[in-house]
């Protein structure tokens, strides 16, 4: 594990070093759990009280917060402690799990698959016919990639994830564990005898851009026809559902347990809060935000923030919530 | 990939062909993305404006919508464009991923398991003691089926799905990727010393009828005792939770992120909207509909539509929502 | 399968045996499905009507419910039929799926891993560098455990579950199928050019106490730094999301589809209802209860019960719901 001096760290952060510490710093830790070889963070005044008794040898502090350095315990003042924290985490980022061999002998790889340079393919992976992996793709053990799917350079796929046939995945993506890409969309028609339902074939695929991250146990269904599309730079949390024929622009964020019903369109930079759901065939325009827990039943304008179930303009919803509390107390 | 003439397609649809195209048609595509070898759909007047500039050589159009044929670009008028689309998708449905060998040598199959004719078992599957697979069962790579479970003819199980011991699965089912069937129900009792909880054994199983489809990353827990039951023809979307001892009738639909708490009973033909949750020990009678996002805390009568959190008659709920908006604006 | 006399069963329950049956009892079943070799339960008066026509040879009945014994059909009266049922289920609990060999030859286990006595490791498992398994750990087929993770004695991990690197798992835990432990937390910062998002490294881990049960397809993310912590005896249902840096005390319960956003703190004995979500950086103090479907946006006091979206004191919320129904009917 890496170890740094306080000077090394401030060299990266370019903050104001107050006091000094001769401790070697082995990693970040919360103020109350820290040992003397840890650096910590004070991004809000509510953490100030823990500094005096903390064993941390250093703290990174927002420059609008007053904290003193102590004997052999230093302060680095920065404009944005959150951003500084991210940079410190990059310093201490540990190497990922090792691969003893680039392509594990238990992986089953179809002879027609094209595997780029520097790929690592773990134990018990399955790679189907005509799959194409770019360079430096990492598949951890127990990943399945089905026929004709292509994956771009430097994409990492964690164990248990399944990518079905004919999907197109960009470069520098990360798919976490047990993700499901390209399963059939949910579509049925009444059977001809009127008793029950007949499956509508889902003959489309999934197209995922570059630098997309998809959280554990999330699902992106293939399109009925054409494609379900996730734009460059989208970040999707755990247990998220993206139904068939939805189209996401670039740099959208979807938090845990949120979902897009079929044929939803998101513009660029849309933020969907945790557990929020979007009705099918709805459009959320660029820069809009959907609050946590919302149920969106209508289109949302660019830049608008909606909230509630059913979702409406967030300020209106907050007013409703206040009004209801007042009325119930009368 | 298959290719058809416009006459071939109208032979299936039996609609009214207006104009003609000599193009070979290689698949369906949305109007705006289509190339000249694509057929598209106009099921609503809002898509009419895209027809003129589309490159699609043909469109299937609802017969109440007015659209003109152009030079070498044909129209097929039909009573129901959605149904016609389903039939066209069946024409163009592509073959599923290939199996090079029927039973992959890396699959681990207990010697007592009975494997029907025409089964395909992918790489790294695990099949336990006394499992019985009917004929033409397909297990894609990395599926686990545990001891004493039986699976009917023509059922397909996608990668990452796990079916635990002593479950009974019907024929013509489809389980998508990373589905969990037969995990323990969630049941505890206070420990005898009053500190903490003791697990209640979950000794029942799961019984799934015929033609049931279960979406990616969905869960059906085994019963505490007796069985969790899913009736014939039920269609279950992604990330759905079906807790122990729930019983679903035939032809029910559960959309993404919905859930049944323990011992819920659904009649036949019940529709549960996305992200809706049903309280434990509740009955939703046949033909009832639960709107998206609802939280159902009481029984629902046959044919009733409920909505909201807490759910009530949908018309009443809609009135409440309107009323609240009005009050907040006063 | 085990078989008992009514006397055997009452020896365990120590209730009052009324009447007798000479039937061998092979298991528990619901009154309406039972055959003559089954024992059933009557824990509420609503089930009394099924007793006369049931084929069950015996029933365990709450002592405040009046039910008669019949010819060769016995009653055991107990103070708490639910608790008695749990004890009967323990009697009839069946053996779990078999392992033909303790460590399956297809498992890929790094040479530095330490495997305790009596461990069972199924087909196609993957165990990384320096993993340590205590004694009697059971990994069913297709489990992945990554580098440096430790797992305590008698913990059971079901198929499809992935535990990432450097996590610490206690003893006597049960992780059901397709669980994701230790995937990256969901954290980004704006990129330096203001266009898009940069991943914040998630260098922490997950620490799980003893006797923790985690349901199918649930996720526990690793911490940004420091640890995501689940205390001893917590019971977590299916499809639950526990985001990075959340800390749960002991004996907490989280029902299906519930979720903790980042850095949530739960005290001891907190109960989170199904589909409830807790906002990031919120504290739910010991003994508090969050009702099903709630969206909690503020701290909750010890012992308080909150409900609704947004969540508030449950009695207040119930008043609001009543008030809204009344107003809408005016």
């Amino acid at each position: 594990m890496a170890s740094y001096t306080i000077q090394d760290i401030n060299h990266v952060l370019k903050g104001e070093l107050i006091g000094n510490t001769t401790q070697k710093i082995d990693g970040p830790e919360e103020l109350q759990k820290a040992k003397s070889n840890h650096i910590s963070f004070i991004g809000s005044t509510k953490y100030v009280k823990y500094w005096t008794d903390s064993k941390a040898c250093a703290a990174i502090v927002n420059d609008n917060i007053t904290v003193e350095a102590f004997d052999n315990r230093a302060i680095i003042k920065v404009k944005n402690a959150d951003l500084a924290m991210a940079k410190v985490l990059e310093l201490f980022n540990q190497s990922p799990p090792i691969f003893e061999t680039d392509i594990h002998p238990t992986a089953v790889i179809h002879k027609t698959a094209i595997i780029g340079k520097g790929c690592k393919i773990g134990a018990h992976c399955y790679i189907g016919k005509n799959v194409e992996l770019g360079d430096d793709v990492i598949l951890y053990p127990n990943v399945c990639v089905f026929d004709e799917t292509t994956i771009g350079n430097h994409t990492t796929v964690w164990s248990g994830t399944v990518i079905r046939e004919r999907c197109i995945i960009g470069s520098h993506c990360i798919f976490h564990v047990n993700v499901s890409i390209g399963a059939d969309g949910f579509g049925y028609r009444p059977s001809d005898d009127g008793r029950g339902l007949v499956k509508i074939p889902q003959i489309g695929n999934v197209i995922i851009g570059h630098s997309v991250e998809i959280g554990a146990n999330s699902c992106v269904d293939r399109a009925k026809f054409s494609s379900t599309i996730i734009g460059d730079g989208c970040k999707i949390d755990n247990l998220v559902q993206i139904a068939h024929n939805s189209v996401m622009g670039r740099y959208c964020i979807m938090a845990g347990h949120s979902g897009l019903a079929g044929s939803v369109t998101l513009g660029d930079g849309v933020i969907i809060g945790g557990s929020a759901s979007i009705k099918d065939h709805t459009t959320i325009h660029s820069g809009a935000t959907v609050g946590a827990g919302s149920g969106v039943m209508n289109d949302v304008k660019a830049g608008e923030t909606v909230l509630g179930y059913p979702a409406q303009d967030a300020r209106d919803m907050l007013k409703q919530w206040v009004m209801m509390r007042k009325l119930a107390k009368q």
Side-chain angles (χ1 to χ4, degrees), chain A:
Chain A
M1 207 168 168
S3 175
Y4 298 94
T5 66
I6 190 74
Q7 284 76 22
D8 293 336
I9 289 173
N10 199 33
H11 183 75
V12 171
L13 300 184
K14 301 190 195 333
E16 179 193 358
L17 178 61
I18 301 176
N20 191 27
T21 180
T22 57
Q23 274 284 349
K24 279 283 179 183
I25 298 170
D26 295 325
E29 185 50 277
E30 297 168 8
L31 282 167
Q32 292 168 281
K33 289 185 190 168
K35 297 181 182 161
S36 62
N37 59 339
H38 288 139
I39 188 165
S40 198
F41 304 94
I42 303 176
S44 142
T45 52
K46 72 174 173 175
Y47 297 113
V48 170
K49 63 181 172 195
Y50 301 120
W51 167 241
T52 306
D53 291 337
S54 174
K55 292 186 178 136
C57 67
I60 295 165
V61 181
N62 252 11
D63 64 6
N64 62 346
I65 297 175
T66 305
V67 179
E68 277 179 65
F70 294 114
D71 181 35
N72 207 27
R73 298 179 64 214
I75 294 290
I76 297 176
K77 287 230 165 185
V78 295
K79 285 208 175 133
N80 183 333
D82 280 341
L83 184 56
M85 183 202 293
K87 297 198 168 181
V88 169
L89 294 181
E90 281 158 20
L91 277 182
F92 287 104
N93 202 1
Q94 293 186 51
S95 54
I98 62 157
F99 283 79
E100 293 271 304
T101 52
D102 281 355
I103 297 184
H104 197 276
T106 62
V108 171
I109 302 175
H110 195 274
K111 62 182 183 289
T112 59
I114 296 172
I115 310 297
K117 289 176 199 160
C119 286
K120 294 184 188 300
I121 299 177
H124 316 306
C125 283
Y126 173 81
I127 297 185
K129 191 179 173 186
N130 294 327
V131 165
E132 286 189 42
L133 305 186
D135 295 341
D136 301 307
V137 170
I138 297 174
L139 307 184
Y140 283 98
N142 290 25
V143 162
C144 295
V145 181
F146 281 95
D147 305 10
E148 321 284 340
T149 282
T150 65
I151 299 183
N153 300 335
H154 293 281
T155 283
T156 296
V157 183
W158 282 94
S159 301
T161 288
V162 179
I163 307 176
R164 280 205 21 204
E165 65 275 18
R166 291 184 284 113
C167 294
I168 299 170
I169 313 294
S171 58
H172 293 278
C173 292
I174 302 172
F175 297 163
H176 291 286
V177 301
N178 289 322
V179 169
S180 300
I181 306 284
D184 285 1
F186 191 64
Y188 304 91
R189 62 175 179 83
S191 64
D192 292 336
D193 65 1
R195 299 175 53 204
L197 297 161
V198 175
K199 180 178 177 65
I200 298 177
Q202 303 288 310
I203 74 170
N205 71 345
V206 174
I207 299 176
I208 293 181
H210 305 305
S211 302
V212 170
E213 189 164 344
I214 300 184
N217 293 74
S218 286
C219 303
V220 184
D221 276 356
R222 68 194 312 108
K224 188 160 61 173
F225 64 97
S226 194
S227 303
T228 303
I229 298 174
I230 299 183
D232 293 347
C234 287
K235 308 298 182 187
I236 295 166
D237 200 353
N238 297 348
L239 292 161
V240 169
Q241 153 74 341
I242 297 175
H244 59 164
N245 293 87
S246 288
V247 175
M248 296 171 66
R250 293 177 302 166
Y251 311 126
C252 295
I253 293 174
M254 292 185 69
H257 273 141
S258 64
L260 309 181
S263 301
V264 168
T265 303
L266 303 189
D268 293 340
V270 170
I271 298 173
I272 309 283
S275 299
S277 298
I278 316 297
K279 188 174 177 288
D280 55 303
H281 293 278
T282 305
T283 298
I284 315 288
H285 289 279
S286 293
T289 298
V290 174
S294 300
V296 177
M297 301 189 183
N298 295 106
D299 290 0
V300 177
K301 289 180 209 154
E304 200 181 358
T305 298
V306 298
L307 182 62
Y309 168 64
Q312 50 189 294
D313 180 274
R315 287 158 305 185
D316 290 345
M317 197 71 228
L318 291 168
K319 275 183 210 163
Q320 269 195 33
W321 287 344
V322 169
M323 177 271 301
M324 286 190 287
R325 288 191 190 208
K326 275 189 191 159
L327 280 175
K329 283 188 179 154
Q330 283 176 357

